Amino acid sequence: MASNGSDEAPAKRIKRRRQDEDGFYFKSYAGVSIHEEMIRDEVRTNSYRLAILRSSEQIAGKIVADIGAGTGILSCFCAQAGAKKVYAIEASAIAEQARKVVKSNGMEQQIQVIQGKVEDVELPEKVDVIVSEWMGHFLLYESMLNSVIYARDKWLKKGGIILPSKASLYLAPITNEEIYKERIDFWSEVKSKYRLNMDCMIPYAKECIFGSVQIEDVIGSDLIAHEREVATIDISTITEQELQSIQGSFDFKCFGISKFCGFAAWFTVTFDDIQDRDPVTISTSPYKHPTHWKQSVLYLPEPVSVEQDTEMKGLITLSPGMTNSRYLDVALQYTVGEMPQISRHYTMSDDYPS
Amino acid sequence: MASNGSDEAPAKRIKRRRQDEDGFYFKSYAGVSIHEEMIRDEVRTNSYRLAILRSSEQIAGKIVADIGAGTGILSCFCAQAGAKKVYAIEASAIAEQARKVVKSNGMEQQIQVIQGKVEDVELPEKVDVIVSEWMGHFLLYESMLNSVIYARDKWLKKGGIILPSKASLYLAPITNEEIYKERIDFWSEVKSKYRLNMDCMIPYAKECIFGSVQIEDVIGSDLIAHEREVATIDISTITEQELQSIQGSFDFKCFGISKFCGFAAWFTVTFDDIQDRDPVTISTSPYKHPTHWKQSVLYLPEPVSVEQDTEMKGLITLSPGMTNSRYLDVALQYTVGEMPQISRHYTMSDDYPS
């Protein structure tokens, strides 16, 4: 009967202390499979590899900090790019494996693996480069960017660089009536299947499913308007304070007649290129090659009919979860055509498996 | 980067107190999706419905306790079978929904939903019937049977019945070389993909993947010998003490030449039939219609060649997890042909997502 997912029952929330949050979070990176999944994602890993090797002019002979180094793969890429020293900081027990990876590639002189939380670790010197793969689902789930900011403010030399340097969040309205058939109509079908009326479960099913962020592979052709960039994060300057509330407005114009079912969100991250080539970018767009991040969807409780050029305007706000700062709360305010403004809240957590 | 699964890194274990275990466990039943998954499983739900309706002679006019009632669906089936009173006991917040289900089916006179842990609840009377869907993956994951035993010893009248009344655990050797290609060879392929040697991750990958129970859909044709029933649990008499160690021996004779990759485990539960018809049985065998329980696999670190009539003999022991009694530890001792005896341990937990 055990299952996994991300529904949220807002009624009963148990506050965990920050220490517990971190303990649970870091344990989730101790097993092998999460690292396999990330390294298997070639869009992710090849982009980091390419961006690091292309930055070899800035990395060669320099000091690097890899924030949340995992198996150490990005640290090794930095060593291959000629780094003089890489501090590979990793809080979970996978750090032990990173040490082996470093050794078996003969990089012990260059890379020092340090097991500990970024916030607890001391480095013997400042660094020229920070590299980190900190992005979670919906960009900010897991709140790992906070540790990158902490490292930047404490260790990065003036004029030092951060890889990647920029992140952007995109939003687009989508259609996907299947979700209502699959997840909501199910409860009406119990009557014919088992001779029992479970229609009364529908409001709760809607509350759970349409009150939480759904992580799924959105089909490009389900977009009913062009996407908008709703927020940009400059990783060189963003503050922890600013991350408490990332806000952006949007304004869509629908392609044609369709059923508007929700908003899909995704992100890109960009690595600066000093040689003025097109910068390396990881895109998690539904139009691009799928990544392990998939897309994030904020569904409406029921579809809304739209026509060609129907306008949707609104505001999206992302903030750390109220019950656990590694979770994510999403607030939406929007209008569709001439209809009155609507406000919705979505949570993203693993507290309430679905 | 968030992911889900069941690998286990044995190095660092954090002890949770029993209270925390339960809090986390019951929260996992608060969302809608786990109930949708269970009710969607027609093998499960139809079998319970049929067994309850067929037992109407023993249920009509009687007092019933539904242990871990969830959305209340089994309690409603009991009401349809003519129960005079059903106590639907449910610890998680889904109890609130069960009340609505009861009401919208006009069964408030018959069914009383009680939100609380079985161990904390008081009933005003003894019961004639206990019904419960307590089975987890590998039968005993989640340890919910303990609560059924507690309820039985406290509330069940002498001569009362339990639905289901019997559970059996089965084991069979399987072949599945894909697992090594997919999960282990992956680490060797990093060399050609990203020009980095990650072969040294292989022992750790094996430790994680082949040291934990894998939940998957086993293909019937992957069985390389007939299954054996390794344990039977009589739910009317089993004690909590006996559940601390469920042990069974096995003796397989291989069909023919193949690569032995591990043991698949599954279970059946049986509902007694007083009219001497074939009893209703839920089977989670790989030869039967798939259920949400799937099968559980204990993989070997590498395949072993076997021939026709190669014998495998051994002993399997299931016990509650050392770090969390809702988890499961599995110990295997076995011989293959004339090879020396081998001992392996497997853990089943959600502490270390894979």
Side-chain angles (χ1 to χ4, degrees):
Chain A
M1 306 177 355
S3 183
N4 292 300
S6 63
D7 283 348
E8 169 87 333
K12 292 210 154 192
R13 287 178 162 181
I14 292 173
K15 287 218 181 216
R16 287 202 210 149
R17 285 177 308 115
R18 175 79 195 192
Q19 198 186 327
D20 296 331
E21 291 171 20
D22 282 350
F24 202 75
Y25 175 66
F26 293 129
K27 270 206 295 182
S28 76
Y29 280 93
V32 79
S33 303
I34 193 168
H35 299 285
E36 180 189 327
E37 186 188 14
M38 292 189 291
I39 295 173
R40 202 181 271 284
D41 183 341
E42 296 190 24
V43 172
R44 166 195 181 272
T45 308
N46 266 330
S47 298
Y48 268 89
R49 181 170 182 269
L50 180 63
I52 290 168
L53 295 182
R54 275 203 190 176
S55 303
S56 57
E57 267 188 46
Q58 294 144 288
I59 293 176
K62 298 292 176 60
I63 314 297
V64 180
D66 178 359
I67 307 302
T71 56
I73 187 168
L74 303 186
S75 294
C76 292
F77 293 156
C78 291
Q80 288 174 336
K84 183 177 155 200
K85 185 89 195 177
V86 185
Y87 297 103
I89 307 171
E90 171 58 42
S92 91
I94 200 72
E96 226 174 286
Q97 304 305 316
R99 276 194 197 102
K100 291 179 192 162
V101 171
V102 167
K103 198 173 170 195
S104 69
N105 286 279
M107 295 168 171
E108 308 101 300
Q109 298 303 317
Q110 281 171 283
I111 304 174
Q112 182 182 342
V113 176
I114 303 172
Q115 186 175 352
K117 287 164 64 175
V118 167
E119 293 77 5
D120 298 339
V121 158
E122 291 300 333
L123 295 189
E125 58 189 327
K126 293 230 169 191
V127 305
D128 305 287
V129 179
I130 285 176
V131 62
S132 180
E133 198 278 80
W134 52 268
M135 300 86 74
H137 292 300
F138 216 134
L139 187 61
L140 296 178
Y141 189 63
E142 300 185 35
S143 292
M144 201 186 138
L145 183 52
N146 288 298
S147 297
V148 176
I149 293 171
Y150 182 93
R152 179 199 69 196
D153 294 347
K154 190 167 174 189
W155 295 316
L156 190 64
K157 290 180 192 167
K158 216 173 160 171
I161 64 164
I162 304 186
L163 300 173
S165 55
K166 209 188 87 174
S168 295
L169 191 69
Y170 294 84
L171 207 66
I174 62 162
T175 187
N176 178 20
E177 291 183 90
E178 274 308 304
I179 187 98
Y180 307 101
K181 294 203 184 91
E182 179 75 10
R183 306 293 313 272
I184 304 303
D185 295 354
F186 165 79
W187 292 104
S188 300
E189 290 154 14
V190 171
K191 226 175 331 213
S192 56
K193 270 188 193 146
Y194 307 123
R195 313 271 161 151
L196 195 70
N197 187 341
M198 294 192 91
D199 287 353
C200 63
M201 286 292 291
I202 290 176
Y204 188 63
K206 287 188 174 179
E207 184 184 322
C208 288
I209 300 162
F210 305 140
S212 62
V213 177
Q214 302 294 310
I215 304 299
E216 48 188 71
D217 286 308
V218 171
I219 299 164
S221 57
D222 279 350
L223 267 62
I224 59 171
H226 290 299
E227 72 267 29
R228 296 288 182 206
E229 186 177 310
V230 291
T232 302
I233 294 176
D234 180 341
I235 301 157
S236 311
T237 58
I238 183 95
T239 63
E240 280 206 63
Q241 185 53 40
E242 286 166 333
L243 273 183
Q244 293 298 306
S245 171
I246 296 291
Q247 202 165 64
S249 60
F250 52 83
D251 185 349
F252 301 111
K253 203 171 254 187
C254 291
F255 295 144
I257 291 173
S258 59
K259 294 286 186 186
F260 166 43
C261 299
F263 296 96
W266 65 89
F267 63 88
T268 61
V269 295
T270 306
F271 301 81
D272 282 335
D273 193 292
I274 49 162
Q275 292 176 35
D276 269 344
R277 288 170 295 202
D278 275 346
V280 174
T281 296
I282 299 176
S283 171
T284 62
S285 160
Y287 291 124
K288 301 282 184 175
H289 197 283
T291 71
H292 78 288
W293 285 288
K294 303 186 178 190
Q295 286 84 37
S296 302
V297 184
L298 310 166
Y299 279 108
L300 313 185
E302 47 257 325
V304 175
S305 294
V306 293
E307 302 188 348
Q308 187 179 327
D309 294 336
T310 298
E311 274 195 297
M312 296 169 191
K313 294 180 183 187
L315 196 69
I316 185 170
T317 311
L318 274 62
S319 43
M322 299 247 289
T323 57
N324 179 328
S325 64
R326 294 208 178 268
Y327 296 163
L328 192 66
D329 286 345
V330 182
L332 261 183
Q333 289 177 297
Y334 63 92
T335 57
V336 179
E338 301 302 312
M339 288 189 271
Q341 179 177 287
I342 289 171
S343 293
R344 296 200 184 288
H345 282 84
Y346 298 83
T347 56
M348 196 166 168
S349 85
D350 55 12
D351 258 9
Y352 295 92
S354 61
Chain B
M1 307 174 359
S3 183
N4 293 298
S6 62
D7 282 352
E8 169 87 335
K12 291 209 153 192
R13 288 176 159 182
I14 292 174
K15 287 219 178 213
R16 288 201 209 152
R17 285 180 305 116
R18 174 78 197 193
Q19 199 186 326
D20 296 331
E21 292 171 19
D22 281 351
F24 201 77
Y25 176 65
F26 293 131
K27 272 207 293 183
S28 76
Y29 280 92
V32 78
S33 303
I34 193 168
H35 299 285
E36 180 189 327
E37 186 189 16
M38 291 190 291
I39 294 173
R40 202 181 270 284
D41 182 341
E42 296 190 24
V43 172
R44 165 194 181 273
T45 309
N46 265 330
S47 298
Y48 268 89
R49 180 170 182 269
L50 180 64
I52 289 169
L53 295 181
R54 273 202 190 178
S55 303
S56 58
E57 266 186 47
Q58 294 143 288
I59 293 176
K62 298 292 176 62
I63 315 298
V64 179
D66 179 358
I67 307 302
T71 57
I73 187 168
L74 303 186
S75 294
C76 292
F77 292 156
C78 291
Q80 287 174 336
K84 183 177 155 201
K85 184 88 194 176
V86 184
Y87 297 103
I89 307 170
E90 171 57 42
S92 90
I94 200 73
E96 227 175 284
Q97 305 305 316
R99 277 194 195 100
K100 291 179 191 161
V101 171
V102 167
K103 199 173 170 194
S104 69
N105 286 281
M107 294 169 171
E108 309 100 300
Q109 298 303 316
Q110 281 171 283
I111 304 174
Q112 182 182 343
V113 177
I114 304 172
Q115 186 175 352
K117 287 164 63 175
V118 168
E119 292 77 4
D120 298 339
V121 157
E122 290 300 331
L123 295 189
E125 59 189 328
K126 293 231 168 187
V127 305
D128 304 288
V129 179
I130 286 176
V131 62
S132 180
E133 198 279 81
W134 52 267
M135 300 85 74
H137 292 299
F138 217 134
L139 188 60
L140 297 178
Y141 189 64
E142 301 185 37
S143 292
M144 199 185 140
L145 183 54
N146 288 298
S147 296
V148 175
I149 293 171
Y150 182 94
R152 178 197 71 196
D153 294 346
K154 188 167 176 190
W155 295 317
L156 189 65
K157 291 180 191 169
K158 214 172 162 170
I161 63 164
I162 304 185
L163 301 173
S165 55
K166 208 188 88 174
S168 295
L169 190 69
Y170 294 85
L171 206 66
I174 63 163
T175 187
N176 178 21
E177 290 183 90
E178 273 309 303
I179 187 96
Y180 308 101
K181 294 203 183 90
E182 178 76 10
R183 305 293 312 273
I184 304 303
D185 295 353
F186 165 78
W187 292 104
S188 300
E189 290 154 13
V190 171
K191 223 173 330 206
S192 56
K193 271 189 191 147
Y194 307 122
R195 312 269 162 153
L196 195 70
N197 187 342
M198 294 192 91
D199 287 353
C200 63
M201 287 293 291
I202 290 176
Y204 188 62
K206 287 188 175 180
E207 183 184 322
C208 288
I209 300 162
F210 306 138
S212 62
V213 177
Q214 302 294 311
I215 304 298
E216 49 189 69
D217 286 307
V218 171
I219 299 164
S221 57
D222 279 350
L223 268 63
I224 59 170
H226 290 300
E227 72 266 30
R228 295 290 181 203
E229 186 176 310
V230 290
T232 302
I233 294 176
D234 180 341
I235 300 159
S236 312
T237 57
I238 183 97
T239 63
E240 281 206 61
Q241 185 54 40
E242 286 167 334
L243 274 182
Q244 292 299 306
S245 171
I246 296 291
Q247 201 165 67
S249 60
F250 53 82
D251 184 350
F252 301 111
K253 203 172 255 187
C254 292
F255 296 146
I257 291 173
S258 58
K259 294 285 185 187
F260 166 44
C261 299
F263 295 97
W266 65 88
F267 62 88
T268 62
V269 295
T270 306
F271 302 81
D272 282 335
D273 193 291
I274 49 163
Q275 291 176 37
D276 270 344
R277 288 170 296 201
D278 274 346
V280 175
T281 296
I282 299 177
S283 172
T284 63
S285 159
Y287 290 124
K288 300 282 184 175
H289 196 284
T291 71
H292 77 289
W293 285 289
K294 303 186 177 188
Q295 286 84 37
S296 303
V297 184
L298 310 167
Y299 280 107
L300 313 186
E302 47 257 325
V304 175
S305 294
V306 293
E307 304 189 346
Q308 187 177 326
D309 295 335
T310 298
E311 274 195 296
M312 297 169 190
K313 295 180 183 186
L315 195 69
I316 184 170
T317 311
L318 275 63
S319 43
M322 298 248 290
T323 58
N324 178 328
S325 65
R326 295 207 179 271
Y327 295 163
L328 192 65
D329 285 345
V330 182
L332 261 184
Q333 290 178 294
Y334 63 93
T335 56
V336 179
E338 302 302 311
M339 288 190 271
Q341 179 177 288
I342 289 171
S343 293
R344 297 199 184 289
H345 282 85
Y346 298 84
T347 56
M348 197 169 168
S349 85
D350 55 12
D351 259 8
Y352 295 90
S354 62

